[in-house]
Amino acid sequence: MTTNRALLIRRALAGAGALLAVFSSLAVAELGAALTRPEAGPLVAVGGASIDLTPAAVKDWAVRSFGTDDKLVLRAGILTVLALSAAALGLLALRHRRAGALGVLAFGAVGALAALGRPDSVSWTDALPSAAGALAGAAVLYVLTGRLTGTGTGTSAGTGAGAGPGAGTATGMAPHEPDGRDRRGFLIAASAAAVASAGAGTLSRGLTAARTGDATGARSAVTLPAPGSPAPAIATRTALRLPGMLPFTTPNKDFYRVDTALVVPEVDATAWRLEIHGTGVTRPLTLTFQDLLEGELIERDITLACVSNEVGGPYVGTARWIGVRLADLLRRAGVRPPSRGGPADQLVARSVDGMTLGTPVEDVMDGRDAMLAVGMNGEPLPFDHGFPVRMVVPGLYGYVSACKWVEDIELTTFDAYDPYWVRRKWARRAPVKTQSRIDTPKPFARPAPGTVMVAGVAWAQHRGIDRVEVRVDDGPWRPADLAAEHTSDTWRQWSLAWKAVPGTHTLTVRATDRTGETQTERRARTMPDGATGWHSVVVTVT
């Protein structure tokens, strides 16, 4: 075997050993997290820290580019960085065995610090999973590298038995080549590490499944009571039956999801508690899930919109929510809105994953159907959408109102506290802007000449839509036919019969809400308080 070939083989084995060390580290760390707190695992902690440190503009770009797959892309990115780093550490360990092991320990320290720095960190024990994983990974790399360099079998590179002329000499021309026995020892040690790591991974998945099984079982056992104030039936004339139109009510599986949770929290409803406290709270409340189910439930159809929704974007949907009026709970706690002399003007909701959202107290208590929701479209909330309890406030973008997996509500002031998104330069107050969207025909469609139905939705939650207009190319604005309004808190479908003639045409839509405000033409990005502009599609009539 030539020296170069032997060196290439050794480097390849070193890289494989380093990858195995990283796998072992993650397996042990995830087992430690399963035994203590799943949120303290290094992938979740480092991923969460990465999200927190990412500039808002980049985060917004990720949502636009990857949609609900943004978290999958982030996890893949973290694993890719780990794999590349492992390859580098493997090569380093060939020459500096201890330095390679120390490099693994350094990555463990990053995971431990990230876990301790998370807003939902509960104690110093959150550092233990990453620390244990780092020690395991460093030990694996140290042992495997020793097999490759001969230092793990009683020999050392360039000296001892089997070291011939030119092997590990002072010139450094040819490092020690382990004999077949050393390589066999490497394979045996690597196999043992792989089996042990796989076992740790299997055990951690079993423990996690048992833990989440409690939450899944609790959700399956929930029977939503009949609401004391049911939602009105959705009239047939509210929903247009046109090809290409989405249903008026968005199914749970199709409802958009935009949040920062790398792993969806699966909370056991039987152990869940909600605290209501803070400035102006004269009677602090601690509520269980059963307390909410036994309360006065309301049922409402409400359209939610994400502030990351670009003009014409998909992050808007309508669902039938059931829950308890938030204003009623606040009044039980002795809270008064600012308009009635209350000292708190901001409600800060905290999620089980540490997310904080700030909502104007006045908006929650002004008579709109703000609620702590327990159900969505006739079933308990899906885990993706906040089970067991989430906030829903019509008329406000989700980042200031729609806290999922909520467990704490604190009354405070805007001057005293900036929640998560405000610290990242998003606006404190974010009423939903009047928007409209063309759903059919789709961009770059090629309809035939003749009558083409142009249709879509418009929304201005808590104000309602009064008028929708459509323009073809640079022609005059034409009023669209509006479907019946269900409530002012839901979107409104519209349609226009267009006499299409051959050629390429631009179709543009705008809406006017019930206050008389017409959707502005001025284009603005989503940051800091929602996108503006008219939605348009280009089609070619053939």
Side-chain angles (χ1 to χ4, degrees):
M1 181 183 294
T2 66
T3 300
N4 287 339
R5 184 182 177 192
L7 182 59
L8 288 175
I9 291 175
R10 190 168 63 160
R11 286 177 174 173
L13 290 175
L19 286 173
L20 178 56
V22 168
F23 172 62
S24 301
S25 178
L26 289 177
V28 171
E30 293 304 321
L31 176 58
L35 290 169
T36 55
R37 208 172 68 90
E39 295 79 10
L43 284 179
V44 175
V46 172
S50 300
I51 292 173
D52 291 348
L53 295 173
T54 299
V58 176
K59 199 175 303 183
D60 200 37
W61 169 84
V63 172
R64 294 197 309 273
S65 301
F66 304 114
T68 55
D69 292 329
D70 58 340
K71 299 163 189 66
L72 178 62
V73 171
L74 175 59
R75 291 174 72 95
I78 293 173
L79 291 174
T80 300
V81 170
L82 283 175
L84 294 175
S85 300
L89 288 175
L91 295 177
L92 174 64
L94 279 178
R95 291 185 176 275
H96 306 284
R97 190 180 177 200
R98 291 180 180 175
L102 288 174
V104 177
L105 291 176
F107 275 97
V110 171
L113 291 173
L116 291 174
R118 300 299 301 139
D120 60 335
S121 178
V122 294
S123 77
W124 63 270
T125 58
D126 282 349
L128 292 180
S130 291
L135 290 172
V140 169
L141 181 60
Y142 192 78
V143 170
L144 294 181
T145 304
R147 294 291 181 179
L148 292 178
T149 60
T151 55
T153 58
T155 64
S156 60
T159 62
T169 63
T171 62
M173 293 297 292
H176 173 74
E177 170 65 19
D179 58 24
R181 184 186 61 191
D182 292 328
R183 262 182 272 138
R184 283 197 298 273
F186 172 88
L187 294 176
I188 292 172
S191 298
V195 170
S197 300
T202 300
L203 180 57
S204 69
R205 285 191 294 273
L207 292 172
T208 300
R211 186 190 299 262
T212 57
D214 292 339
T216 302
R219 182 180 181 274
S220 298
V222 172
T223 299
L224 296 176
S229 175
I234 298 175
T236 302
R237 55 197 179 92
T238 298
L240 300 177
R241 311 297 183 189
L242 295 174
M245 284 292 290
L246 297 175
F248 181 84
T249 299
T250 309
N252 290 352
K253 65 181 179 63
D254 297 328
F255 207 94
Y256 74 90
R257 178 198 163 200
V258 177
D259 54 53
T260 64
L262 275 180
V263 176
V264 174
E266 297 194 4
V267 181
D268 182 352
T270 61
W272 176 87
R273 297 292 185 273
L274 174 70
E275 304 287 339
I276 299 179
H277 60 101
T279 303
V281 175
T282 59
R283 296 179 295 276
L285 297 180
T286 299
L287 301 168
T288 67
F289 186 67
Q290 191 62 33
D291 290 335
L292 296 185
L293 294 184
E294 293 173 356
E296 182 68 23
L297 297 177
I298 63 171
E299 181 184 61
R300 297 292 184 268
D301 296 297
I302 298 172
T303 298
L304 297 186
C306 179
V307 73
S308 295
N309 198 45
E310 293 279 0
V311 172
Y315 303 130
V316 59
T318 299
R320 175 159 288 191
W321 308 92
I322 183 171
V324 176
R325 289 186 190 274
L326 185 51
D328 290 349
L329 295 177
L330 295 180
R331 280 191 285 267
R332 276 179 55 190
V335 176
R336 291 174 292 126
S339 60
R340 297 191 177 182
D345 60 4
Q346 179 180 212
L347 178 158
V348 175
R350 289 182 172 83
S351 169
V352 298
D353 68 347
M355 173 57 67
T356 55
L357 277 66
T359 310
V361 174
E362 195 68 47
D363 290 351
V364 171
M365 303 186 75
D366 68 357
R368 71 185 72 194
D369 290 317
M371 69 172 80
L372 291 180
V374 296
M376 180 180 183
N377 289 332
E379 65 177 79
L381 291 171
F383 287 113
D384 279 358
H385 296 290
F387 182 84
V389 181
R390 67 169 294 164
M391 279 177 56
V392 174
V393 183
L396 300 180
Y397 282 120
Y399 85 97
V400 298
S401 67
C403 186
K404 296 190 281 189
W405 316 293
V406 62
E407 67 172 1
D408 185 271
I409 291 177
E410 180 182 3
L411 279 296
T412 182
T413 65
F414 284 105
D415 290 338
Y417 184 81
D418 286 339
Y420 183 92
W421 291 111
V422 174
R423 293 197 298 272
R424 288 153 180 81
K425 308 305 181 185
W426 293 81
R428 284 189 173 92
R429 302 169 189 266
V432 171
K433 296 180 177 179
T434 302
Q435 287 285 309
S436 54
R437 186 181 73 195
I438 298 172
D439 287 339
T440 184
K442 301 297 183 186
F444 310 115
R446 301 178 68 86
T451 301
V452 173
M453 294 303 298
V454 183
V457 290
W459 60 92
Q461 293 95 305
H462 204 57
R463 301 185 302 278
I465 292 295
D466 189 59
R467 185 171 70 253
V468 172
E469 299 166 291
V470 176
R471 184 175 69 185
V472 180
D473 300 323
D474 293 323
W477 289 101
R478 298 172 53 190
D481 294 324
L482 291 175
E485 180 182 73
H486 182 55
T487 74
S488 62
D489 288 336
T490 59
W491 56 14
R492 196 167 183 183
Q493 297 185 343
W494 57 268
S495 64
L496 175 75
W498 169 44
K499 299 296 184 181
V501 297
T504 298
H505 302 282
T506 299
L507 308 175
T508 305
V509 64
R510 70 180 184 186
T512 301
D513 65 31
R514 194 147 293 128
T515 70
E517 180 180 351
T518 298
Q519 183 179 344
T520 179
E521 181 183 9
R522 184 180 65 85
R523 277 274 175 173
R525 302 301 295 268
T526 57
M527 192 175 182
D529 60 355
T532 62
W534 295 338
H535 185 220
S536 61
V537 299
V538 176
V539 300
T540 299
V541 180
T542 58

